[in-house]
Amino acid sequence: MMESTLDERFGGTLAPDAMLPQQFFAALHGRGDLSAERRLVVAVLEDALHCYLKYADAENPKQRQLFLEAEEWITGDNPTWFFSFSNVCDTLGLDPDYMREGLAKWRDRRPAMPQQPTAEHEPSAVELDDDDRTLRRASGA
């Protein structure tokens, strides 16, 4: 029977992982750049909030649809879907019910928008802000 030492049997398992000094000190002090996954989760929440706040009173069908989809996502509760509003908030350390309550209060308190002319008006490129132009280029509209 061949005897082996602990180092021989578990050397690969117990071997230290390689780490750069900046990774070590960032982990030690709780700082560092957001991971790609966390940036994605932040971007999902940021986009939904942007659509919810910007297009709450939109009459343009595309913008109205963006608002309705954001509202449905925010008010929905599907714990099995990783990118559900509740899971995104939990991942970021936010209370989803508190966020929903704040958005509902904002929506109830905002002033009524003046009536727009009934004719459908598609904004010209001059009237679009940078975010709208980027959205239109990305969506092909």
Side-chain angles (χ1 to χ4, degrees), residues 74-106:
I74 290 166
T75 59
D77 192 27
N78 183 355
T80 61
W81 183 36
F82 180 76
F83 282 102
S84 70
F85 181 75
S86 297
N87 287 337
V88 165
C89 286
D90 289 341
T91 299
L92 299 174
L94 302 170
D95 181 355
D97 293 327
Y98 183 78
M99 295 281 291
R100 287 182 182 118
E101 184 180 325
L103 290 168
K105 285 181 181 177
W106 170 84

PDB file of all heavy atoms in Angstrom, residues 74-106:
ATOM      1  N   ILE A  74     -42.494  46.470 -13.439  1.00  0.00           N
ATOM      2  CA  ILE A  74     -42.323  46.967 -12.072  1.00  0.00           C
ATOM      3  C   ILE A  74     -43.382  46.386 -11.137  1.00  0.00           C
ATOM      4  O   ILE A  74     -43.072  45.997 -10.009  1.00  0.00           O
ATOM      5  CB  ILE A  74     -42.346  48.513 -12.054  1.00  0.00           C
ATOM      6  CG1 ILE A  74     -41.071  49.050 -12.717  1.00  0.00           C
ATOM      7  CG2 ILE A  74     -42.504  49.056 -10.637  1.00  0.00           C
ATOM      8  CD1 ILE A  74     -41.117  50.529 -13.054  1.00  0.00           C
ATOM      9  N   THR A  75     -44.616  46.316 -11.595  1.00  0.00           N
ATOM     10  CA  THR A  75     -45.696  45.834 -10.726  1.00  0.00           C
ATOM     11  C   THR A  75     -45.801  44.314 -10.711  1.00  0.00           C
ATOM     12  O   THR A  75     -46.409  43.756  -9.808  1.00  0.00           O
ATOM     13  CB  THR A  75     -47.054  46.431 -11.155  1.00  0.00           C
ATOM     14  OG1 THR A  75     -47.317  46.066 -12.512  1.00  0.00           O
ATOM     15  CG2 THR A  75     -47.058  47.938 -10.999  1.00  0.00           C
ATOM     16  N   GLY A  76     -45.217  43.657 -11.683  1.00  0.00           N
ATOM     17  CA  GLY A  76     -45.290  42.199 -11.752  1.00  0.00           C
ATOM     18  C   GLY A  76     -44.425  41.545 -10.690  1.00  0.00           C
ATOM     19  O   GLY A  76     -43.526  42.146 -10.112  1.00  0.00           O
ATOM     20  N   ASP A  77     -44.731  40.278 -10.435  1.00  0.00           N
ATOM     21  CA  ASP A  77     -43.945  39.532  -9.458  1.00  0.00           C
ATOM     22  C   ASP A  77     -43.785  38.102  -9.944  1.00  0.00           C
ATOM     23  O   ASP A  77     -44.709  37.302  -9.868  1.00  0.00           O
ATOM     24  CB  ASP A  77     -44.629  39.561  -8.091  1.00  0.00           C
ATOM     25  CG  ASP A  77     -43.714  39.063  -6.995  1.00  0.00           C
ATOM     26  OD1 ASP A  77     -42.479  39.175  -7.140  1.00  0.00           O
ATOM     27  OD2 ASP A  77     -44.232  38.564  -5.979  1.00  0.00           O
ATOM     28  N   ASN A  78     -42.624  37.820 -10.493  1.00  0.00           N
ATOM     29  CA  ASN A  78     -42.315  36.479 -10.971  1.00  0.00           C
ATOM     30  C   ASN A  78     -40.973  36.076 -10.372  1.00  0.00           C
ATOM     31  O   ASN A  78     -39.922  36.325 -10.954  1.00  0.00           O
ATOM     32  CB  ASN A  78     -42.259  36.460 -12.500  1.00  0.00           C
ATOM     33  CG  ASN A  78     -42.013  35.071 -13.050  1.00  0.00           C
ATOM     34  OD1 ASN A  78     -41.792  34.126 -12.303  1.00  0.00           O
ATOM     35  ND2 ASN A  78     -42.032  34.945 -14.354  1.00  0.00           N
ATOM     36  N   PRO A  79     -40.990  35.454  -9.188  1.00  0.00           N
ATOM     37  CA  PRO A  79     -39.733  35.155  -8.497  1.00  0.00           C
ATOM     38  C   PRO A  79     -38.852  34.135  -9.216  1.00  0.00           C
ATOM     39  O   PRO A  79     -37.672  34.029  -8.911  1.00  0.00           O
ATOM     40  CB  PRO A  79     -40.192  34.622  -7.139  1.00  0.00           C
ATOM     41  CG  PRO A  79     -41.583  34.177  -7.340  1.00  0.00           C
ATOM     42  CD  PRO A  79     -42.154  35.008  -8.448  1.00  0.00           C
ATOM     43  N   THR A  80     -39.397  33.418 -10.196  1.00  0.00           N
ATOM     44  CA  THR A  80     -38.581  32.420 -10.895  1.00  0.00           C
ATOM     45  C   THR A  80     -37.764  33.035 -12.026  1.00  0.00           C
ATOM     46  O   THR A  80     -36.839  32.405 -12.521  1.00  0.00           O
ATOM     47  CB  THR A  80     -39.467  31.298 -11.477  1.00  0.00           C
ATOM     48  OG1 THR A  80     -40.387  31.866 -12.414  1.00  0.00           O
ATOM     49  CG2 THR A  80     -40.218  30.577 -10.377  1.00  0.00           C
ATOM     50  N   TRP A  81     -38.101  34.243 -12.434  1.00  0.00           N
ATOM     51  CA  TRP A  81     -37.374  34.903 -13.524  1.00  0.00           C
ATOM     52  C   TRP A  81     -36.258  35.744 -12.921  1.00  0.00           C
ATOM     53  O   TRP A  81     -36.504  36.636 -12.098  1.00  0.00           O
ATOM     54  CB  TRP A  81     -38.331  35.767 -14.341  1.00  0.00           C
ATOM     55  CG  TRP A  81     -37.716  36.439 -15.515  1.00  0.00           C
ATOM     56  CD1 TRP A  81     -36.746  35.939 -16.335  1.00  0.00           C
ATOM     57  CD2 TRP A  81     -38.006  37.745 -16.002  1.00  0.00           C
ATOM     58  NE1 TRP A  81     -36.427  36.856 -17.306  1.00  0.00           N
ATOM     59  CE2 TRP A  81     -37.190  37.977 -17.129  1.00  0.00           C
ATOM     60  CE3 TRP A  81     -38.884  38.739 -15.613  1.00  0.00           C
ATOM     61  CZ2 TRP A  81     -37.219  39.156 -17.847  1.00  0.00           C
ATOM     62  CZ3 TRP A  81     -38.920  39.912 -16.333  1.00  0.00           C
ATOM     63  CH2 TRP A  81     -38.088  40.106 -17.438  1.00  0.00           C
ATOM     64  N   PHE A  82     -35.027  35.496 -13.305  1.00  0.00           N
ATOM     65  CA  PHE A  82     -33.881  36.200 -12.718  1.00  0.00           C
ATOM     66  C   PHE A  82     -34.004  37.709 -12.864  1.00  0.00           C
ATOM     67  O   PHE A  82     -33.658  38.449 -11.956  1.00  0.00           O
ATOM     68  CB  PHE A  82     -32.566  35.720 -13.343  1.00  0.00           C
ATOM     69  CG  PHE A  82     -31.376  36.405 -12.767  1.00  0.00           C
ATOM     70  CD1 PHE A  82     -30.893  36.055 -11.518  1.00  0.00           C
ATOM     71  CD2 PHE A  82     -30.748  37.438 -13.451  1.00  0.00           C
ATOM     72  CE1 PHE A  82     -29.799  36.700 -10.960  1.00  0.00           C
ATOM     73  CE2 PHE A  82     -29.651  38.087 -12.906  1.00  0.00           C
ATOM     74  CZ  PHE A  82     -29.178  37.717 -11.659  1.00  0.00           C
ATOM     75  N   PHE A  83     -34.498  38.185 -14.010  1.00  0.00           N
ATOM     76  CA  PHE A  83     -34.585  39.624 -14.243  1.00  0.00           C
ATOM     77  C   PHE A  83     -35.944  40.202 -13.889  1.00  0.00           C
ATOM     78  O   PHE A  83     -36.334  41.241 -14.409  1.00  0.00           O
ATOM     79  CB  PHE A  83     -34.197  39.964 -15.685  1.00  0.00           C
ATOM     80  CG  PHE A  83     -32.715  39.943 -15.907  1.00  0.00           C
ATOM     81  CD1 PHE A  83     -32.116  38.873 -16.530  1.00  0.00           C
ATOM     82  CD2 PHE A  83     -31.914  40.978 -15.458  1.00  0.00           C
ATOM     83  CE1 PHE A  83     -30.745  38.838 -16.728  1.00  0.00           C
ATOM     84  CE2 PHE A  83     -30.542  40.959 -15.643  1.00  0.00           C
ATOM     85  CZ  PHE A  83     -29.957  39.885 -16.275  1.00  0.00           C
ATOM     86  N   SER A  84     -36.676  39.573 -12.984  1.00  0.00           N
ATOM     87  CA  SER A  84     -37.913  40.184 -12.500  1.00  0.00           C
ATOM     88  C   SER A  84     -37.547  41.400 -11.658  1.00  0.00           C
ATOM     89  O   SER A  84     -36.417  41.512 -11.146  1.00  0.00           O
ATOM     90  CB  SER A  84     -38.717  39.184 -11.665  1.00  0.00           C
ATOM     91  OG  SER A  84     -38.073  38.937 -10.430  1.00  0.00           O
ATOM     92  N   PHE A  85     -38.477  42.311 -11.517  1.00  0.00           N
ATOM     93  CA  PHE A  85     -38.225  43.530 -10.749  1.00  0.00           C
ATOM     94  C   PHE A  85     -37.770  43.198  -9.331  1.00  0.00           C
ATOM     95  O   PHE A  85     -36.790  43.775  -8.834  1.00  0.00           O
ATOM     96  CB  PHE A  85     -39.483  44.404 -10.727  1.00  0.00           C
ATOM     97  CG  PHE A  85     -39.304  45.700  -9.977  1.00  0.00           C
ATOM     98  CD1 PHE A  85     -38.587  46.744 -10.536  1.00  0.00           C
ATOM     99  CD2 PHE A  85     -39.855  45.879  -8.721  1.00  0.00           C
ATOM    100  CE1 PHE A  85     -38.419  47.949  -9.855  1.00  0.00           C
ATOM    101  CE2 PHE A  85     -39.691  47.073  -8.037  1.00  0.00           C
ATOM    102  CZ  PHE A  85     -38.973  48.111  -8.603  1.00  0.00           C
ATOM    103  N   SER A  86     -38.452  42.263  -8.691  1.00  0.00           N
ATOM    104  CA  SER A  86     -38.094  41.892  -7.317  1.00  0.00           C
ATOM    105  C   SER A  86     -36.680  41.349  -7.241  1.00  0.00           C
ATOM    106  O   SER A  86     -35.909  41.718  -6.348  1.00  0.00           O
ATOM    107  CB  SER A  86     -39.071  40.848  -6.775  1.00  0.00           C
ATOM    108  OG  SER A  86     -40.358  41.377  -6.699  1.00  0.00           O
ATOM    109  N   ASN A  87     -36.314  40.465  -8.162  1.00  0.00           N
ATOM    110  CA  ASN A  87     -34.972  39.883  -8.140  1.00  0.00           C
ATOM    111  C   ASN A  87     -33.895  40.919  -8.458  1.00  0.00           C
ATOM    112  O   ASN A  87     -32.819  40.896  -7.874  1.00  0.00           O
ATOM    113  CB  ASN A  87     -34.882  38.697  -9.102  1.00  0.00           C
ATOM    114  CG  ASN A  87     -35.626  37.494  -8.573  1.00  0.00           C
ATOM    115  OD1 ASN A  87     -35.859  37.363  -7.373  1.00  0.00           O
ATOM    116  ND2 ASN A  87     -36.020  36.604  -9.457  1.00  0.00           N
ATOM    117  N   VAL A  88     -34.187  41.818  -9.389  1.00  0.00           N
ATOM    118  CA  VAL A  88     -33.227  42.882  -9.713  1.00  0.00           C
ATOM    119  C   VAL A  88     -33.008  43.762  -8.481  1.00  0.00           C
ATOM    120  O   VAL A  88     -31.865  44.073  -8.130  1.00  0.00           O
ATOM    121  CB  VAL A  88     -33.706  43.700 -10.931  1.00  0.00           C
ATOM    122  CG1 VAL A  88     -32.945  45.002 -11.056  1.00  0.00           C
ATOM    123  CG2 VAL A  88     -33.562  42.879 -12.203  1.00  0.00           C
ATOM    124  N   CYS A  89     -34.085  44.144  -7.819  1.00  0.00           N
ATOM    125  CA  CYS A  89     -33.959  44.974  -6.612  1.00  0.00           C
ATOM    126  C   CYS A  89     -33.191  44.236  -5.526  1.00  0.00           C
ATOM    127  O   CYS A  89     -32.306  44.817  -4.886  1.00  0.00           O
ATOM    128  CB  CYS A  89     -35.341  45.385  -6.106  1.00  0.00           C
ATOM    129  SG  CYS A  89     -36.135  46.639  -7.114  1.00  0.00           S
ATOM    130  N   ASP A  90     -33.513  42.970  -5.309  1.00  0.00           N
ATOM    131  CA  ASP A  90     -32.805  42.191  -4.291  1.00  0.00           C
ATOM    132  C   ASP A  90     -31.317  42.100  -4.604  1.00  0.00           C
ATOM    133  O   ASP A  90     -30.473  42.231  -3.714  1.00  0.00           O
ATOM    134  CB  ASP A  90     -33.397  40.789  -4.173  1.00  0.00           C
ATOM    135  CG  ASP A  90     -34.774  40.791  -3.525  1.00  0.00           C
ATOM    136  OD1 ASP A  90     -35.124  41.787  -2.852  1.00  0.00           O
ATOM    137  OD2 ASP A  90     -35.501  39.795  -3.694  1.00  0.00           O
ATOM    138  N   THR A  91     -30.989  41.896  -5.870  1.00  0.00           N
ATOM    139  CA  THR A  91     -29.590  41.803  -6.279  1.00  0.00           C
ATOM    140  C   THR A  91     -28.839  43.090  -5.969  1.00  0.00           C
ATOM    141  O   THR A  91     -27.670  43.063  -5.592  1.00  0.00           O
ATOM    142  CB  THR A  91     -29.489  41.486  -7.786  1.00  0.00           C
ATOM    143  OG1 THR A  91     -30.122  40.230  -8.026  1.00  0.00           O
ATOM    144  CG2 THR A  91     -28.063  41.433  -8.268  1.00  0.00           C
ATOM    145  N   LEU A  92     -29.517  44.222  -6.111  1.00  0.00           N
ATOM    146  CA  LEU A  92     -28.889  45.524  -5.886  1.00  0.00           C
ATOM    147  C   LEU A  92     -29.059  46.028  -4.460  1.00  0.00           C
ATOM    148  O   LEU A  92     -28.649  47.151  -4.142  1.00  0.00           O
ATOM    149  CB  LEU A  92     -29.457  46.544  -6.881  1.00  0.00           C
ATOM    150  CG  LEU A  92     -29.208  46.215  -8.354  1.00  0.00           C
ATOM    151  CD1 LEU A  92     -29.930  47.211  -9.249  1.00  0.00           C
ATOM    152  CD2 LEU A  92     -27.722  46.184  -8.656  1.00  0.00           C
ATOM    153  N   GLY A  93     -29.670  45.234  -3.607  1.00  0.00           N
ATOM    154  CA  GLY A  93     -29.850  45.640  -2.213  1.00  0.00           C
ATOM    155  C   GLY A  93     -30.938  46.678  -2.029  1.00  0.00           C
ATOM    156  O   GLY A  93     -30.868  47.492  -1.102  1.00  0.00           O
ATOM    157  N   LEU A  94     -31.939  46.678  -2.904  1.00  0.00           N
ATOM    158  CA  LEU A  94     -33.051  47.629  -2.815  1.00  0.00           C
ATOM    159  C   LEU A  94     -34.313  46.891  -2.385  1.00  0.00           C
ATOM    160  O   LEU A  94     -34.486  45.707  -2.686  1.00  0.00           O
ATOM    161  CB  LEU A  94     -33.290  48.286  -4.181  1.00  0.00           C
ATOM    162  CG  LEU A  94     -32.107  49.027  -4.785  1.00  0.00           C
ATOM    163  CD1 LEU A  94     -32.417  49.416  -6.227  1.00  0.00           C
ATOM    164  CD2 LEU A  94     -31.769  50.247  -3.961  1.00  0.00           C
ATOM    165  N   ASP A  95     -35.206  47.584  -1.719  1.00  0.00           N
ATOM    166  CA  ASP A  95     -36.481  47.002  -1.306  1.00  0.00           C
ATOM    167  C   ASP A  95     -37.492  47.220  -2.434  1.00  0.00           C
ATOM    168  O   ASP A  95     -37.886  48.359  -2.710  1.00  0.00           O
ATOM    169  CB  ASP A  95     -36.961  47.676  -0.018  1.00  0.00           C
ATOM    170  CG  ASP A  95     -38.267  47.114   0.497  1.00  0.00           C
ATOM    171  OD1 ASP A  95     -38.881  46.254  -0.170  1.00  0.00           O
ATOM    172  OD2 ASP A  95     -38.695  47.542   1.591  1.00  0.00           O
ATOM    173  N   PRO A  96     -37.936  46.151  -3.115  1.00  0.00           N
ATOM    174  CA  PRO A  96     -38.842  46.327  -4.257  1.00  0.00           C
ATOM    175  C   PRO A  96     -40.178  46.977  -3.884  1.00  0.00           C
ATOM    176  O   PRO A  96     -40.701  47.790  -4.642  1.00  0.00           O
ATOM    177  CB  PRO A  96     -39.044  44.913  -4.804  1.00  0.00           C
ATOM    178  CG  PRO A  96     -38.486  43.986  -3.802  1.00  0.00           C
ATOM    179  CD  PRO A  96     -37.590  44.753  -2.899  1.00  0.00           C
ATOM    180  N   ASP A  97     -40.706  46.644  -2.711  1.00  0.00           N
ATOM    181  CA  ASP A  97     -41.978  47.248  -2.296  1.00  0.00           C
ATOM    182  C   ASP A  97     -41.825  48.741  -2.043  1.00  0.00           C
ATOM    183  O   ASP A  97     -42.709  49.533  -2.385  1.00  0.00           O
ATOM    184  CB  ASP A  97     -42.527  46.550  -1.051  1.00  0.00           C
ATOM    185  CG  ASP A  97     -42.935  45.114  -1.338  1.00  0.00           C
ATOM    186  OD1 ASP A  97     -43.387  44.841  -2.475  1.00  0.00           O
ATOM    187  OD2 ASP A  97     -42.784  44.266  -0.435  1.00  0.00           O
ATOM    188  N   TYR A  98     -40.719  49.138  -1.473  1.00  0.00           N
ATOM    189  CA  TYR A  98     -40.445  50.560  -1.241  1.00  0.00           C
ATOM    190  C   TYR A  98     -40.308  51.301  -2.573  1.00  0.00           C
ATOM    191  O   TYR A  98     -40.826  52.405  -2.731  1.00  0.00           O
ATOM    192  CB  TYR A  98     -39.166  50.695  -0.408  1.00  0.00           C
ATOM    193  CG  TYR A  98     -38.822  52.112  -0.038  1.00  0.00           C
ATOM    194  CD1 TYR A  98     -39.488  52.759   0.998  1.00  0.00           C
ATOM    195  CD2 TYR A  98     -37.826  52.800  -0.717  1.00  0.00           C
ATOM    196  CE1 TYR A  98     -39.164  54.058   1.344  1.00  0.00           C
ATOM    197  CE2 TYR A  98     -37.500  54.106  -0.382  1.00  0.00           C
ATOM    198  CZ  TYR A  98     -38.173  54.727   0.646  1.00  0.00           C
ATOM    199  OH  TYR A  98     -37.864  56.017   0.988  1.00  0.00           O
ATOM    200  N   MET A  99     -39.624  50.668  -3.521  1.00  0.00           N
ATOM    201  CA  MET A  99     -39.474  51.277  -4.850  1.00  0.00           C
ATOM    202  C   MET A  99     -40.842  51.433  -5.520  1.00  0.00           C
ATOM    203  O   MET A  99     -41.144  52.484  -6.080  1.00  0.00           O
ATOM    204  CB  MET A  99     -38.571  50.407  -5.729  1.00  0.00           C
ATOM    205  CG  MET A  99     -37.139  50.301  -5.270  1.00  0.00           C
ATOM    206  SD  MET A  99     -36.171  51.727  -5.716  1.00  0.00           S
ATOM    207  CE  MET A  99     -36.098  51.541  -7.479  1.00  0.00           C
ATOM    208  N   ARG A 100     -41.657  50.388  -5.485  1.00  0.00           N
ATOM    209  CA  ARG A 100     -43.000  50.446  -6.087  1.00  0.00           C
ATOM    210  C   ARG A 100     -43.838  51.545  -5.442  1.00  0.00           C
ATOM    211  O   ARG A 100     -44.536  52.290  -6.128  1.00  0.00           O
ATOM    212  CB  ARG A 100     -43.697  49.096  -5.937  1.00  0.00           C
ATOM    213  CG  ARG A 100     -43.159  48.030  -6.827  1.00  0.00           C
ATOM    214  CD  ARG A 100     -43.954  46.735  -6.650  1.00  0.00           C
ATOM    215  NE  ARG A 100     -43.414  45.690  -7.473  1.00  0.00           N
ATOM    216  CZ  ARG A 100     -42.895  44.558  -7.003  1.00  0.00           C
ATOM    217  NH1 ARG A 100     -42.877  44.319  -5.699  1.00  0.00           N
ATOM    218  NH2 ARG A 100     -42.421  43.646  -7.830  1.00  0.00           N
ATOM    219  N   GLU A 101     -43.765  51.620  -4.121  1.00  0.00           N
ATOM    220  CA  GLU A 101     -44.533  52.638  -3.403  1.00  0.00           C
ATOM    221  C   GLU A 101     -44.090  54.042  -3.803  1.00  0.00           C
ATOM    222  O   GLU A 101     -44.916  54.926  -4.036  1.00  0.00           O
ATOM    223  CB  GLU A 101     -44.349  52.436  -1.898  1.00  0.00           C
ATOM    224  CG  GLU A 101     -45.160  53.365  -1.046  1.00  0.00           C
ATOM    225  CD  GLU A 101     -44.942  53.117   0.439  1.00  0.00           C
ATOM    226  OE1 GLU A 101     -44.762  51.955   0.835  1.00  0.00           O
ATOM    227  OE2 GLU A 101     -44.954  54.120   1.188  1.00  0.00           O
ATOM    228  N   GLY A 102     -42.793  54.245  -3.916  1.00  0.00           N
ATOM    229  CA  GLY A 102     -42.270  55.554  -4.313  1.00  0.00           C
ATOM    230  C   GLY A 102     -42.683  55.924  -5.730  1.00  0.00           C
ATOM    231  O   GLY A 102     -43.055  57.072  -5.998  1.00  0.00           O
ATOM    232  N   LEU A 103     -42.636  54.962  -6.641  1.00  0.00           N
ATOM    233  CA  LEU A 103     -43.056  55.230  -8.023  1.00  0.00           C
ATOM    234  C   LEU A 103     -44.548  55.520  -8.106  1.00  0.00           C
ATOM    235  O   LEU A 103     -44.972  56.398  -8.863  1.00  0.00           O
ATOM    236  CB  LEU A 103     -42.679  54.052  -8.922  1.00  0.00           C
ATOM    237  CG  LEU A 103     -41.180  53.881  -9.171  1.00  0.00           C
ATOM    238  CD1 LEU A 103     -40.888  52.538  -9.815  1.00  0.00           C
ATOM    239  CD2 LEU A 103     -40.651  55.022 -10.028  1.00  0.00           C
ATOM    240  N   ALA A 104     -45.351  54.803  -7.318  1.00  0.00           N
ATOM    241  CA  ALA A 104     -46.797  55.049  -7.306  1.00  0.00           C
ATOM    242  C   ALA A 104     -47.103  56.446  -6.759  1.00  0.00           C
ATOM    243  O   ALA A 104     -47.948  57.167  -7.298  1.00  0.00           O
ATOM    244  CB  ALA A 104     -47.508  53.981  -6.482  1.00  0.00           C
ATOM    245  N   LYS A 105     -46.396  56.844  -5.709  1.00  0.00           N
ATOM    246  CA  LYS A 105     -46.595  58.196  -5.152  1.00  0.00           C
ATOM    247  C   LYS A 105     -46.182  59.257  -6.165  1.00  0.00           C
ATOM    248  O   LYS A 105     -46.857  60.270  -6.317  1.00  0.00           O
ATOM    249  CB  LYS A 105     -45.798  58.367  -3.862  1.00  0.00           C
ATOM    250  CG  LYS A 105     -46.403  57.651  -2.691  1.00  0.00           C
ATOM    251  CD  LYS A 105     -45.580  57.873  -1.439  1.00  0.00           C
ATOM    252  CE  LYS A 105     -46.185  57.139  -0.271  1.00  0.00           C
ATOM    253  NZ  LYS A 105     -45.374  57.274   0.954  1.00  0.00           N
ATOM    254  N   TRP A 106     -45.067  59.026  -6.855  1.00  0.00           N
ATOM    255  CA  TRP A 106     -44.622  59.980  -7.874  1.00  0.00           C
ATOM    256  C   TRP A 106     -45.690  60.125  -8.953  1.00  0.00           C
ATOM    257  O   TRP A 106     -46.025  61.229  -9.364  1.00  0.00           O
ATOM    258  CB  TRP A 106     -43.311  59.508  -8.505  1.00  0.00           C
ATOM    259  CG  TRP A 106     -42.940  60.321  -9.705  1.00  0.00           C
ATOM    260  CD1 TRP A 106     -42.275  61.506  -9.701  1.00  0.00           C
ATOM    261  CD2 TRP A 106     -43.242  60.025 -11.071  1.00  0.00           C
ATOM    262  NE1 TRP A 106     -42.145  61.970 -11.000  1.00  0.00           N
ATOM    263  CE2 TRP A 106     -42.734  61.070 -11.851  1.00  0.00           C
ATOM    264  CE3 TRP A 106     -43.898  58.974 -11.707  1.00  0.00           C
ATOM    265  CZ2 TRP A 106     -42.858  61.094 -13.236  1.00  0.00           C
ATOM    266  CZ3 TRP A 106     -44.015  58.994 -13.084  1.00  0.00           C
ATOM    267  CH2 TRP A 106     -43.495  60.053 -13.834  1.00  0.00           C
TER     268      TRP A 106
END
